[in-house]
Amino acid sequence: MSYARSRLLLGMLGVGLLVLTSFYCLIKQVPLKWLPGTEVWSGSDLIALATVFGGLITILLPLDLLGGYLLPNRAGPKPILWRRFVIGWVRGVGFQGCFFLLASLLILALGRWQGLLAVSCGIIALGFLLIAFQLKLGGLIGGFQQVTGLSTSDRDRMDAATRQTVAWGWKPRDLILLTHQDPGFTGGVVGIPGFEKVVVPDTALLRLSSDELAATLARRFEAIEDGSRARGILVAFFWVVLGFNLSAFLPGAGVTSVGGLAMTCLGFTLWTFIGLLTLPTLSRQASFAIDKRVLGRGVAPESLHRSVRKFDELQDDEPERPAVIEAIFHPVPSVIRRQGQTGTGPPLAWHVARMTLFLSWACMGTLARAVHCNVGRPELWVMYPSD
C-alpha cells in the first residue's frame, strides 16, 4: 500500500471514529449525564472542560502516533526521530488544548451573558484573530522559524522569481520564508484580506528553479488579487458560524452549561463532517480556475506543472488518484488532473475546505487535526497544505 493511501485510510479511521462517537453520544445525550448542567460558574466547569479535551487527546493519540511517526518512518527515506516527534506533539497538543479551553470558557461566558447571538459574535472575533495571527500560531504549534539570512544564490533566485511575477502583471507581495521539518509543509497565504503575506517553505529554494518558484508565487498572488482567498475565508466563516448555531438548537444542546456546550460540539462535529464531503469541490474548482488564469497571464505550462509535481512529491507523492476518491477526500486536485483540466468560470473560494477546518478552532472543532493531510503532524495543524 502506498504512503498516500495509508494516510487516507488513517484519516478515514480518525474522522469516522470521531463522527460515530459524536453521533452515539449525541443520541444517548451522554454529556448531559456526565457533565455539569448548571448555568452558574463553578470550579467543576473548568475540571469538566479539561477532562473533555483530555479525552479528545487520548482518542487521537494512537492516530497521531501512526500518522506522525510510524507511517512516515515506514515510507520516507529520512527517519523521524522519536524525541523530535514527542516534543513536537506535546507542544502542538498543549497549545491547541489551551486554545480550546479558553475558547470554550469564552463561549460559556458569552452564552450566560447574552445567549447565542453573543456567542456567534465571539466565534467571529476568535476566527478573525485566528486569521490575523495564523503565522504566529503556526510558529507556536509547529515550531517554524523565519529565515532572515539567505545565501547569494538563494537571494538571486527569490529576486528573479519576484521580478518575473511583476513582469507578468502581479503586484509584489510580502514574502516570508520559513524553515520546517515536515516535508508536507507547503506554505500558503496568511493574514486578513488586504494585509496578506505569502509564505514559502525554505525547501522550495532547494527544489524549485526560478521559473517554477515564480509560477508558485504567481498562483498565490492571483488567489489574493482575484479575491478567491478572501471569498474562501468568508465562506469558511459562514459555514462555521451557521453550523455551530444549528447545532446549538439540537435537543439538549446549548451554550450556557458545560453539558449543553458539549452537546453542541458533538452536533458541530457532524456538521464539520458534512463540510468535509462538500467543500472540497469548491476548493478544487478554485485551483483549476487559478491555474487557467496564471497560464493566461504568461506563466509557462511546463513551469507550472513541474512546480505542482515537485510539491506533490514532498507531500504524499500521489500524482494520480481515482476520481471518486478525489471528489470526496481531496480539496487539492491531483497533478494529472491539473495538467488535463482547463478550468471553468472564475475561482470562487480558494482553500475553503481546509480554511474551514482551521476556523473551526474557534468553536473547538474536533476534526481539525484528524484528517488525512495532518493527523499526527503538528506543523500542518495551523498551516494546512495548499495548492
Side-chain angles (χ1 to χ4, degrees):
M1 179 179 293
S2 68
Y3 177 59
R5 197 52 49 85
S6 62
R7 288 207 67 88
L8 177 62
L9 292 177
L10 179 62
M12 293 170 61
L13 174 63
V15 171
L17 176 63
L18 290 176
V19 168
L20 291 177
T21 301
S22 297
F23 183 75
Y24 174 82
C25 292
L26 195 64
I27 295 298
K28 297 295 184 179
Q29 297 191 333
V30 173
L32 301 182
K33 300 175 183 178
W34 292 95
L35 299 175
T38 61
E39 299 181 0
V40 180
W41 289 106
S42 68
S44 60
D45 289 345
L46 185 61
I47 295 174
L49 289 171
T51 302
V52 169
F53 296 134
L56 176 63
I57 292 171
T58 302
I59 291 175
L60 290 177
L61 176 57
L63 302 175
D64 286 335
L65 180 62
L66 281 168
Y69 183 74
L70 296 178
L71 289 182
N73 279 341
R74 171 178 171 269
K78 184 178 180 181
I80 297 176
L81 299 178
W82 172 251
R83 181 174 179 272
R84 195 192 89 195
F85 167 76
V86 171
I87 291 175
W89 183 86
V90 171
R91 179 180 58 228
V93 166
F95 278 111
Q96 189 188 55
C98 289
F99 185 93
F100 276 19
L101 184 60
L102 292 175
S104 61
L105 290 173
L106 175 63
I107 289 175
L108 280 178
L110 293 173
R112 290 170 177 176
W113 175 49
Q114 289 293 331
L116 192 56
L117 179 60
V119 168
S120 298
C121 293
I123 291 174
I124 293 173
L126 278 178
F128 183 86
L129 292 175
L130 285 169
I131 297 296
F133 296 99
Q134 185 177 7
L135 187 62
K136 292 186 179 296
L137 184 61
L140 290 174
I141 290 181
F144 302 123
Q145 296 292 330
Q146 185 171 349
V147 178
T148 55
L150 290 175
S151 65
T152 302
S153 60
D154 288 342
R155 172 55 61 189
D156 290 343
R157 190 179 298 115
M158 286 285 287
D159 291 342
T162 303
R163 287 194 301 270
Q164 182 61 67
T165 59
V166 173
W168 286 326
W170 281 283
K171 174 185 174 182
R173 301 283 175 175
D174 290 336
L175 300 179
I176 298 176
L177 196 66
L178 294 183
T179 62
H180 62 98
Q181 298 293 328
D182 196 304
F185 178 69
T186 63
V189 181
V190 297
I192 59 176
F195 300 91
E196 298 94 345
K197 296 180 180 179
V198 174
V199 177
V200 179
D202 63 341
T203 52
L205 295 182
L206 301 175
R207 299 274 299 181
L208 304 181
S209 63
S210 296
D211 61 314
E212 294 164 355
L213 181 58
T216 300
L217 295 179
R219 293 193 77 265
R220 294 175 183 181
F221 292 170
E222 179 64 24
I224 296 172
E225 290 189 10
D226 64 26
S228 61
R229 194 251 175 180
R231 289 191 293 273
I233 292 175
L234 288 177
V235 173
F237 265 110
F238 174 79
W239 188 267
V240 168
V241 175
L242 175 64
F244 191 84
N245 275 267
L246 292 176
S247 301
F249 284 103
L250 293 172
V255 291
T256 57
S257 70
V258 175
L261 179 58
M263 290 286 289
T264 301
C265 290
L266 293 175
F268 183 71
T269 297
L270 303 183
W271 176 262
T272 306
F273 176 64
I274 295 174
L276 290 179
L277 300 178
T278 57
L279 293 178
T281 300
L282 285 177
S283 293
R284 290 192 302 273
Q285 185 275 340
S287 295
F288 291 134
I290 289 175
D291 283 350
K292 182 179 180 180
R293 288 200 171 194
V294 298
L295 292 174
R297 294 181 66 170
V299 176
E302 297 80 10
S303 299
L304 176 62
H305 296 155
R306 285 199 308 268
S307 67
V308 168
R309 181 69 182 95
K310 289 182 179 180
F311 269 112
D312 180 73
E313 290 172 351
L314 291 172
Q315 296 179 71
D316 295 345
D317 195 15
E318 190 180 34
E320 187 174 11
R321 61 179 71 100
V324 174
I325 295 294
E326 180 163 301
I328 299 175
F329 300 107
H330 292 274
V332 178
S334 67
V335 175
I336 300 301
R337 284 200 67 199
R338 290 176 70 177
Q339 290 177 349
Q341 176 67 261
T342 58
T344 56
L348 299 177
W350 180 71
H351 202 41
V352 62
R354 288 173 176 171
M355 184 57 70
T356 302
L357 286 174
F358 176 52
L359 286 180
S360 73
W361 281 47
C363 40
M364 298 79 69
T366 59
L367 301 183
R369 62 178 184 88
V371 290
H372 69 90
C373 72
N374 72 352
V375 59
R377 305 163 80 176
E379 290 184 61
L380 309 182
W381 291 355
V382 174
M383 296 284 294
Y384 288 72
S386 67
D387 54 302

